[in-house]
Amino acid sequence: MTFRSSIFRKFLAGSFLLISVTILVLDFYLGRSTSQRQAESIQQRLEGQARVLAGEIESVSPGELVQWSQGAGARAGARVTVIDPRGVVKADSEHDIESMENHSHRPEILEARRMKMGTSIRHSKTLDRDLCYVAILVDYHGQPDYVLRLALPIEDLDAAIAAVRWQILEASLAAALAALVIAYYFSYVFTRRINRLQAFAERLAGAQFANDPLPGEDDELGALGQSLNRTSTQLHELVNRLSLESTRRESILASMMEGVLAVDDEMRVTFCNQSFSRAVSCRFPVPERLPLLELVREPELFDILNQVLATGQSLKQRLELSGPSNRSLEIQAAPLASTARPGVIAILHDITDLERLERVRKDFVANVSHELRTPLTAIRGYAETLLDGALEDHKNNRRFLEIIKAHAIRLNNISADLLVLSELESRKSQAEPERFLVSAVLESALRTVEAEAQIRGVHLHFEKLDDVHVMGDRMRLEQVLVNLLDNAVKFNRPGGEVRVAIGQTGDGSAQIVIADTGIGIPSEDLPRIFERFYRVDKTRSREVGGTGLGLSIVKHVVERMNGTIRVESALGQGSRFIVQFSAV
Ligand code: ADP
């Protein structure tokens, strides 16, 4: 705190103003009362002396009057004047009566004529100074209405007032000094307290909630401090609540699978979550108030948002995203009217997988009917042919029956595979997982396909690099390996090879590789071969007795055992199926 402090200057100015006003008022009243008192005492003195002199004047002859007035003036210490009833000055202790004008209109004379005594304080032209006059009516040698007037200069009065003024000034100087000290002290104390309040309030504005509350002193500043303390506590709670809310909201939105996008009426992004960024392939986090156009260029999306903004009605619509991802989205957009600016919030639901699943389901039903129709039509056709007389045809009847049997077997295979699939999907009849060695299961699977391999002239090689244990359903794993080996043999050529290897990967997982030198799989078909009924070459698959369900069973079982399967293939050179399970 310095002497330049504004509070100090204001305190000082206030004190000085108060002192100045007090001086002026005191000066006015004390001056007036002092001069009044002085004038009254002079008047009383002059009146007393006038009465004494009035007793003497009777005995003074007119010729001695001037002389007497001088003597009386010396004794009374005042100017003595005698005026006759016409106003002519008959004697004056200090002046030559010849040069003096008629005095009948002097105020004290007029007053004395009316009231027997008159007083006046005024400037005497004759003496050129302020005088206090007292006049009384006297009888002179039997003649009434003579006036005896005594006058005294009032210099004494001025001196008295000056003395009073001097005292006031001294007292005021002392008061001003005291005011300076008091102003300094109070402004020092107040400035310190106000600075503390200011620092506290600034910390509040910066959301810094200190642990040291303001002291509660018993005055207005203390009350202000208390209310700031309360505000701080409440603000702290509010900020905590809001940040908790926002963390909750952030984590809910971040963990949502659906994309969430909020835009204002200028189509600027006010909020979006990670799923939205992923769906439209843009970086995250998105800077606030970024124009949406810089993120997405989907006219359809803009149409939907604009429509919601214009109508204020919610909207639900399907949207096909252009671009390489080619995703299908379902958008649910609603107006955001409660915020300061109008806007739209949109929830984007990625329905690409749903649509694909729906397609797969429909295809599956169509495929099942189709797969069943072929053998059923064949069985019915050959049965009717036999009934229509071919039964007697000894050359063909056996062949027809064999065809019927082959189709019946095919029907049986399809229904068996479908049954396995539905069991896997419904997760029923799940055997207790057991720990077993992969080599034992693989050897058993190899024995199953051995005969078929021999017929097709395909050589089987088994390479046991490292035997490993896995956990799961042994029977199902054997089925997986039989399916894979069966495909490797079926989609091969005479003289071709199938190489099987078990080993361990770097991270300790069990790995089974079944590689063949067969016909291979075109790269565009690779992602689909695990789908139900998907076959690259339908005729060939049918010829070799395939149902198109083998690989989907394989995938199901492997995933059930928390394993993975992948395929590498080169058309015309062969395929490699790699199955991995975490070792136990
Ligand atoms: P399928 O009963 O026809 O064998 P799968 O589901 O087992 O049905 O196989 C699906 C399709 O994948 C087969 O029809 C075939 O076209 C292809 N495929 C599977 N394994 C091989 C392989 N080792 N070599 C070449 N093509 C294969």
Side-chain angles (χ1 to χ4, degrees):
M1 214 268 318
T2 64
F3 287 102
R4 284 197 208 158
S5 140
S6 163
I7 288 192
F8 174 69
R9 276 188 276 128
K10 281 178 186 158
F11 264 127
L12 206 60
S15 313
F16 282 173
L17 191 72
L18 191 69
I19 291 168
S20 309
V21 171
T22 316
I23 290 175
L24 287 178
V25 172
L26 273 180
D27 184 55
F28 178 72
Y29 283 107
L30 280 182
R32 219 169 67 158
S33 71
T34 308
S35 62
Q36 236 168 24
R37 261 204 327 275
Q38 282 296 100
E40 275 168 15
S41 88
I42 291 173
Q43 276 169 7
Q44 270 171 12
R45 209 178 91 207
L46 288 179
E47 195 188 328
Q49 283 167 338
R51 301 234 178 267
V52 173
L53 292 178
E56 289 179 18
I57 200 164
E58 240 347 273
S59 57
V60 182
S61 67
E64 289 171 339
L65 204 57
V66 171
Q67 210 186 340
W68 172 82
S69 74
Q70 284 167 350
R75 271 185 282 129
R79 179 183 165 195
V80 176
T81 316
V82 182
I83 300 126
D84 76 2
R86 293 191 311 275
V88 178
V89 178
K90 289 292 177 193
D92 192 283
S93 62
E94 287 175 21
H95 266 270
D96 177 14
I97 55 170
E98 300 304 322
S99 63
M100 291 173 73
E101 59 190 29
N102 189 297
H103 270 42
S104 58
H105 292 292
R106 295 288 195 271
E108 68 279 5
I109 309 288
L110 287 172
E111 198 185 322
R113 294 212 191 287
R114 271 185 286 118
M115 328 270 293
K116 292 211 182 296
M117 194 187 93
T119 55
S120 161
I121 293 172
R122 59 190 167 75
H123 194 74
S124 154
K125 273 195 221 146
T126 329
L127 295 174
D128 190 25
R129 58 211 287 198
D130 285 336
L131 292 174
C132 177
Y133 295 95
V134 172
I136 57 169
L137 274 186
V138 289
D139 290 346
Y140 185 58
H141 294 290
Q143 253 200 294
D145 289 347
Y146 267 76
V147 174
L148 173 65
R149 187 183 76 171
L150 267 72
L152 202 72
I154 53 168
E155 273 147 339
D156 291 355
L157 186 64
D158 288 344
I161 292 173
V164 169
R165 281 216 171 110
W166 189 242
Q167 282 169 358
I168 292 175
L169 195 70
E170 277 174 359
S172 305
L173 276 177
L177 199 69
L180 186 81
V181 173
I182 292 170
Y184 182 81
Y185 172 73
F186 275 111
S187 52
Y188 173 75
V189 171
F190 278 114
T191 311
R192 247 179 50 153
R193 289 177 66 194
I194 289 170
N195 283 347
R196 210 170 155 189
L197 286 174
Q198 189 186 3
F200 191 88
E202 268 162 20
R203 281 205 304 277
L204 271 193
Q208 288 176 17
F209 305 105
N211 293 331
D212 52 331
L214 291 164
E217 275 156 82
D218 189 21
D219 59 6
E220 283 83 348
L221 282 186
L224 178 61
Q226 287 308 304
S227 67
L228 275 179
N229 282 341
R230 277 197 301 279
T231 311
S232 165
T233 317
Q234 281 166 4
L235 219 58
H236 198 170
E237 277 173 21
L238 190 71
V239 166
N240 280 348
R241 228 178 17 246
L242 285 180
S243 66
L244 184 75
E245 277 299 310
S246 109
T247 320
R248 261 188 214 150
R249 197 194 60 170
E250 296 281 314
S251 47
I252 289 172
L253 287 169
S255 59
M256 266 172 83
M257 294 301 288
E258 289 84 3
V260 179
L261 164 74
V263 290
D264 62 13
D265 52 348
E266 286 173 10
M267 286 296 145
R268 286 173 183 275
V269 178
T270 49
F271 172 80
C272 75
N273 67 353
Q274 217 157 352
S275 300
F276 174 80
S277 300
R278 252 197 315 273
V280 300
S281 324
C282 71
R283 67 195 180 285
F284 189 81
V286 174
E288 213 171 293
R289 306 248 322 128
L290 188 81
L292 183 60
L293 205 62
E294 287 183 25
L295 290 184
V296 212
R297 293 188 184 271
E298 294 291 339
E300 258 189 279
L301 176 64
F302 281 88
D303 284 350
I304 296 167
L305 298 176
N306 277 323
Q307 206 173 324
V308 172
L309 209 56
T311 58
Q313 302 283 315
S314 301
L315 205 71
K316 191 173 178 179
Q317 206 165 305
R318 195 178 161 280
L319 172 74
E320 202 83 52
L321 282 186
S322 51
S325 59
N326 207 11
R327 317 284 302 170
S328 303
L329 301 175
E330 189 179 72
I331 298 191
Q332 174 99 45
L336 263 181
S338 55
T339 49
R341 308 176 62 135
V344 182
I345 184 156
I347 312 246
L348 287 80
H349 193 74
D350 191 335
I351 51 166
T352 320
D353 292 339
L354 266 181
E355 284 188 341
R356 196 181 56 78
L357 279 178
E358 182 60 10
R359 219 172 28 245
V360 167
R361 194 188 63 81
K362 278 187 189 151
D363 287 354
F364 176 70
V365 174
N367 284 337
V368 169
S369 339
H370 182 77
E371 292 297 328
L372 295 180
R373 196 158 48 227
T374 319
L376 282 175
T377 317
I379 291 170
R380 184 178 163 187
Y382 284 105
E384 278 172 2
T385 316
L386 284 172
L387 288 173
D388 287 349
L391 208 55
E392 319 315 323
D393 178 356
H394 293 290
K395 257 202 241 154
N396 285 314
N397 57 3
R398 195 175 171 80
R399 196 169 60 85
F400 289 169
L401 281 173
E402 270 165 5
I403 293 173
I404 289 174
K405 186 186 167 197
H407 280 291
I409 290 171
R410 195 168 142 68
L411 271 179
N412 191 46
N413 287 345
I414 292 174
S415 77
D417 280 354
L418 282 175
L419 208 65
V420 171
L421 267 180
S422 93
E423 266 179 21
L424 286 170
E425 274 174 2
S426 66
R427 302 192 171 234
K428 273 193 291 182
S429 72
Q430 201 176 5
E432 261 314 291
E434 53 178 319
R435 188 166 179 271
F436 54 88
L437 271 174
V438 175
S439 60
V441 184
L442 189 61
E443 275 159 13
S444 160
L446 279 167
R447 275 196 296 278
T448 313
V449 294
E450 230 167 32
E452 178 85 14
Q454 229 166 22
I455 294 167
R456 293 181 184 273
V458 176
H459 304 287
L460 297 174
H461 300 278
F462 177 29
E463 198 179 350
K464 187 160 68 174
L465 296 172
D466 210 353
D467 204 356
V468 276
H469 280 98
V470 292
M471 275 293 272
D473 186 338
R474 189 193 167 111
M475 292 293 293
R476 290 276 184 238
L477 183 65
E478 188 172 332
Q479 191 171 9
V480 163
L481 296 175
V482 168
N483 282 1
L484 290 173
L485 287 170
D486 191 39
N487 281 348
V489 170
K490 280 190 307 190
F491 300 104
N492 218 314
R493 43 187 137 231
E497 281 186 352
V498 174
R499 289 190 171 275
V500 186
I502 328 175
Q504 237 174 349
T505 61
D507 64 353
S509 304
Q511 179 171 280
I512 309 161
V513 180
I514 298 170
D516 64 67
T517 55
I519 57 169
I521 305 162
S523 55
E524 67 269 21
D525 291 301
L526 273 182
R528 297 198 61 188
I529 55 167
F530 292 101
E531 285 175 20
R532 284 172 272 193
F533 293 118
Y534 192 82
R535 283 166 291 191
V536 178
D537 180 348
K538 281 195 171 38
T539 339
R540 174 153 186 171
S541 166
R542 238 174 250 138
E543 273 170 13
V544 295
T547 59
L549 294 170
L551 284 184
S552 50
I553 293 174
V554 166
K555 195 167 165 63
H556 261 294
V557 175
V558 170
E559 282 174 359
R560 267 294 182 85
M561 289 173 67
N562 298 322
T564 57
I565 177 162
R566 62 178 206 276
V567 55
E568 296 161 0
S569 184
L571 198 60
Q573 291 177 21
S575 314
R576 255 165 76 86
F577 285 81
I578 302 139
V579 184
Q580 281 186 351
F581 298 106
S582 45
V584 283

